[in-house]
Structure formats: C-alpha cells, structure tokens
Amino acid sequence: MTEENDTMDLWTYEREQWENGFSAVCGVDEAGAGPLAGPVYAAAVILPKELDIPGLNDSKKLTEKKREALFDLITAQAVAYSVARVEAAEIDEMDILNARMLAMTRAIDGLTVQPDLCLIDGNRDHGSRCAIQAPHVTIVGGDGKSASIAAASILAKVSRDRYVSTELDSQYPQYQFAKHKGYGTKLHYEMLDRFGPCPQHRRTFLKKWEQRKP
C-alpha cells in the first residue's frame, strides 16, 4: 500500500461523520501523560476535507524530523487548530486522567471555529472532575485511524517537545530535559538523585522514587 493510500484511508471516520451531517469535524489528542515532569499538552485540529498530507500518521510512528515538517504543513493548512496544556502543579492537584481531559477541553475551547463534532483519541472522555462537554465520539487508537486525530497528535507532541527542550531545559539545565523530554529515563532518575525535584516535576509521579531514597 502506498503512503498516499495510507493517508486517504485515514479519512474514513471523518467521511462517516460528514455523511451524518457534521461539517466541522475536529480531531483531538494529547501528549505527555507519562513523563515525570512538565505539562501535559493537547491539540484540536479541523482539517480541510480530504486534505492530502503525505506521511500523516500517529505521531509516535514518526521521526522527530518528520513530525516537525508535518507540524508546519498542518498549521499552515488547517481550517482551525488550537494547542493547550495543563501544568505539572495542576496534574498533581487533580491526577493525570482529569488533567488529560482538561487539556483536551482547553484545546477544543481554543478553536476559532466551533466544531460540530470532536473525534477524541482513546476510550475516555471524563475523569472524576473534568469531562469533555463538546459533542464527541471516542476512537481507540484514533491517532492511527483518523487524519484529524493524527494531525492533533503531531501538534500536541511537537508543541510539548519544543517547550520541554527549550524553555524547561534553559530554566533547569541540570536535569538535561532536552535529552529525555521529562520521561523517566535512567539519565532523568540520575539527575533526580543528584539534584532532587524542581517545580516542574510532577510530585505524584515521584512516589516510588521518593520511597527508595536513602
């Protein structure tokens, strides 16, 4: 199967909703739920119908260079897009599931075009405190099945990586955030052992690390 066919197959879910009468269909995804530090990001994207974006796919299946190139293509051609985040302190205050829902809600609310329907990646649309209120359907593995969600996954991932690799890395150079993006790598844990956590660390994610400290 060619790359172009792969891309066109990603429009199946959008076509179904267009046929149901929904015109502005928005894809929504988040990035950064797992790291020990930094915000969780989300993006919402409304693409022109049947827009051909060669190589569009789940952000996790793409190289950093390809994600960066697609980021520019998507932001230049989208009908509307929005990127939002929930900070580490907010994650600690409410838990990561609620933070993910809040980030996606903020991204949807930030769109300049009101979506008729949102395609949400995953199988969750609410936590104990935060729920997605906009009309929506959830799609498990949606970032590899829907063009709109794939686009959102790229915007969320690239936006978070850029923030962590530049702003957080310059604020807290001792942790070498540009190398691990805040994930729980061996290097990151070594830096935690050496310097302890900073204000950008999610303290609720460090309980096991704190328990094993001497």
Side-chain angles (χ1 to χ4, degrees):
M1 186 176 285
T2 67
E3 192 175 68
E4 183 177 352
N5 284 338
D6 280 341
T7 302
M8 297 312 292
D9 283 346
L10 290 176
W11 289 104
T12 302
Y13 285 92
E14 283 82 357
R15 285 193 203 102
E16 180 182 331
Q17 300 306 332
W18 295 332
E19 290 168 4
N20 289 337
F22 298 105
S23 179
V25 178
C26 168
V28 188
D29 199 5
E30 45 84 10
L36 308 178
V40 60
Y41 269 69
V45 184
I46 301 173
L47 293 174
K49 291 183 178 181
E50 308 279 357
L51 176 67
D52 182 24
I53 306 178
L56 182 64
N57 205 336
D58 172 3
S59 64
K60 295 185 291 294
K61 297 176 181 176
L62 302 170
T63 64
E64 182 176 357
K65 184 177 180 181
K66 185 65 174 176
R67 285 195 299 266
E68 289 280 352
L70 285 168
F71 181 98
D72 293 339
L73 283 173
I74 293 162
T75 53
Q77 299 182 75
V79 172
Y81 72 91
S82 169
V83 178
R85 74 190 195 206
V86 172
E87 305 294 345
E90 294 177 283
I91 295 170
D92 283 340
E93 194 268 329
M94 66 176 59
D95 77 39
I96 189 60
L97 175 59
N98 281 293
R100 287 169 52 212
M101 298 304 117
L102 180 57
M104 289 193 280
T105 296
R106 286 175 177 173
I108 296 166
D109 290 346
L111 288 166
T112 55
V113 175
Q114 184 74 24
D116 298 318
L117 185 74
C118 298
L119 306 179
I120 309 292
D121 183 55
N123 63 354
R124 305 295 292 269
D125 62 0
H126 69 280
S128 58
R129 292 169 51 180
C130 299
I132 295 169
Q133 302 292 338
H136 65 275
V137 294
T138 58
I139 303 172
V140 176
D143 44 9
K145 298 175 181 177
S146 155
S148 302
I149 298 177
S153 78
I154 290 166
L155 297 200
K157 171 70 172 165
V158 172
S159 297
R160 185 184 190 280
D161 283 355
R162 286 178 179 177
Y163 174 74
V164 175
S165 298
T166 55
E167 292 192 44
L168 289 195
D169 192 66
S170 62
Q171 285 179 33
Y172 306 99
Q174 66 270 38
Y175 297 100
Q176 302 182 52
F177 281 123
K179 291 185 178 178
H180 51 69
K181 308 295 193 295
Y183 285 87
T185 64
K186 182 181 178 183
L187 172 64
H188 193 176
Y189 277 114
E190 287 174 355
M191 297 303 101
L192 274 169
D193 289 340
R194 187 172 174 185
F195 300 107
C198 75
Q200 282 289 339
H201 278 100
R202 305 172 184 178
R203 299 304 292 257
T204 51
F205 282 47
L206 299 180
K207 289 178 179 177
K208 289 184 178 179
W209 171 79
E210 289 173 341
Q211 287 170 1
R212 67 169 178 76
K213 283 195 302 182

